[in-house]
Amino acid sequence: MTESVSGPTPGVPCFVSVMMHDLSAGRRFYGELLGWEFEAGPEMLGPYLNAMVDGRPIAGLGGMAPGRRHPVDWVPFFSTDDADATTDRVRECGGTPAVGPMDVEQAGRVALAADPLGAVFGVWQAGVEYGTPFSTRPGSPVWTELVTVESSMVSKFYSLVFDDDPRPERRDGALDDSGTAGGPGAAEDYVVLYHDDRPVAGIHGVGTAGLPPGHGACWVTYFSVADPEEAAARVTRLGGKVLGAVQRAPFGEFVRATDPEGAPFGLVRPAEPAPSAG
């Protein structure tokens, strides 16, 4: 993480991190896939690397303790002004605090928790380092999406904890103003979290059968790339797995994949913003 010119907006993802069984192999995979360079992270986190794009840290990779066989997932960290108060809200709203809050040297104060359906997320209170906003710069995280059993209850949890505004989104069919599916096709169970009227994260309800194999509910990070087709070919060459063909959506072209340890993630070429009238 790095110092910024202004503080982070509370309730907005500001960093992503993954704990891996083979940190060296993860470094090679993501370094070659996304063009990341690396520098050592805080010593108190054990084997830990900051992934760098254009000299800025945009993600973290850590080494899992030997013998631990937990699924490998990318975890988003949401910014907060008070990690202790936010962790208390997590507990009050039905989530489960897991680690911290604790100080990470002088960088800030961090906590890990699980939402009521088991997905792990982080909380980051800035110290001398603020985290890095998501961006469309190639190699950077550009979006994060919760894949979970259903969106209704868990979206309320995140709205209460982070003061985000959950809004159903029309997908594959229509949703009327009450959020009820309509039209010729069944609408997906999808909610977008907004903060200050800006979309910051998605929540995709897929049922138990739709969860990633070997995983429970989990967050999936999408990284920006210049060419999803070429990036998908690199995933396969580097030992990962591509989950289907490149798809096109209003927000851009994207493909889903897993790394060699099974962590799900996405690659997306964001759509160009529409030109403004003038």
Side-chain angles (χ1 to χ4, degrees):
M1 300 182 183
T2 188
E3 188 172 358
S4 175
V5 294
S6 61
T9 301
V12 173
C14 63
F15 201 67
V16 294
S17 183
V18 63
M19 299 299 291
M20 313 193 75
H21 301 293
D22 189 335
L23 181 57
S24 296
R27 174 177 181 159
R28 289 193 299 272
F29 176 82
Y30 286 105
E32 293 186 36
L33 175 64
L34 297 171
W36 289 350
E37 297 181 346
F38 296 91
E39 65 176 22
E43 292 184 3
M44 66 173 294
L45 299 180
Y48 195 86
L49 299 170
N50 285 327
M52 314 290 290
V53 171
D54 296 336
R56 300 178 63 193
I58 49 80
L61 279 71
M64 202 176 291
R68 301 193 71 178
R69 307 311 305 171
H70 296 293
V72 178
D73 294 314
W74 281 98
V75 174
F77 286 75
F78 291 80
S79 59
T80 179
D81 288 332
D82 188 332
D84 294 79
T86 299
T87 302
D88 288 341
R89 282 200 302 276
V90 167
R91 186 181 294 106
E92 292 164 1
C93 294
T96 305
V99 177
M102 64 181 185
D103 293 325
V104 181
E105 299 174 355
Q106 300 300 311
R109 192 160 174 80
V110 66
L112 286 172
D115 69 28
L117 295 181
V120 177
F121 64 95
V123 171
W124 178 259
Q125 176 187 338
V128 298
E129 299 183 2
Y130 288 138
T132 304
F134 285 17
S135 79
T136 59
R137 180 186 291 114
S140 298
V142 67
W143 184 247
T144 188
E145 180 177 283
L146 175 60
V147 181
T148 188
V149 175
E150 61 86 30
S151 68
S152 177
M153 183 260 288
V154 77
S155 64
K156 293 176 183 176
F157 167 82
Y158 286 100
S159 70
L160 291 170
V161 171
F162 294 112
D163 195 27
D164 290 334
D165 177 19
R167 305 180 190 174
E169 182 177 279
R170 298 173 185 269
R171 286 192 168 199
D172 294 343
L175 291 179
D176 62 25
D177 291 341
S178 68
T180 302
E188 282 189 278
D189 178 10
Y190 200 91
V191 170
V192 175
L193 297 177
Y194 282 75
H195 197 92
D196 292 336
D197 212 33
R198 179 167 65 94
V200 297
I203 298 178
H204 192 182
V206 297
T208 55
L211 296 176
H215 297 253
C218 63
W219 285 89
V220 177
T221 297
Y222 285 73
F223 298 98
S224 179
V225 295
D227 185 340
E229 293 278 4
E230 191 275 335
R234 265 185 288 158
V235 167
T236 302
R237 186 173 69 249
L238 294 168
K241 183 178 180 180
V242 175
L243 307 178
V246 174
Q247 302 179 55
R248 289 169 177 79
F251 57 81
E253 296 178 74
F254 70 98
V255 64
R256 297 184 177 95
T258 58
D259 69 20
E261 293 198 14
F265 66 96
L267 303 166
V268 60
R269 175 166 57 197
E272 294 292 333
S276 58

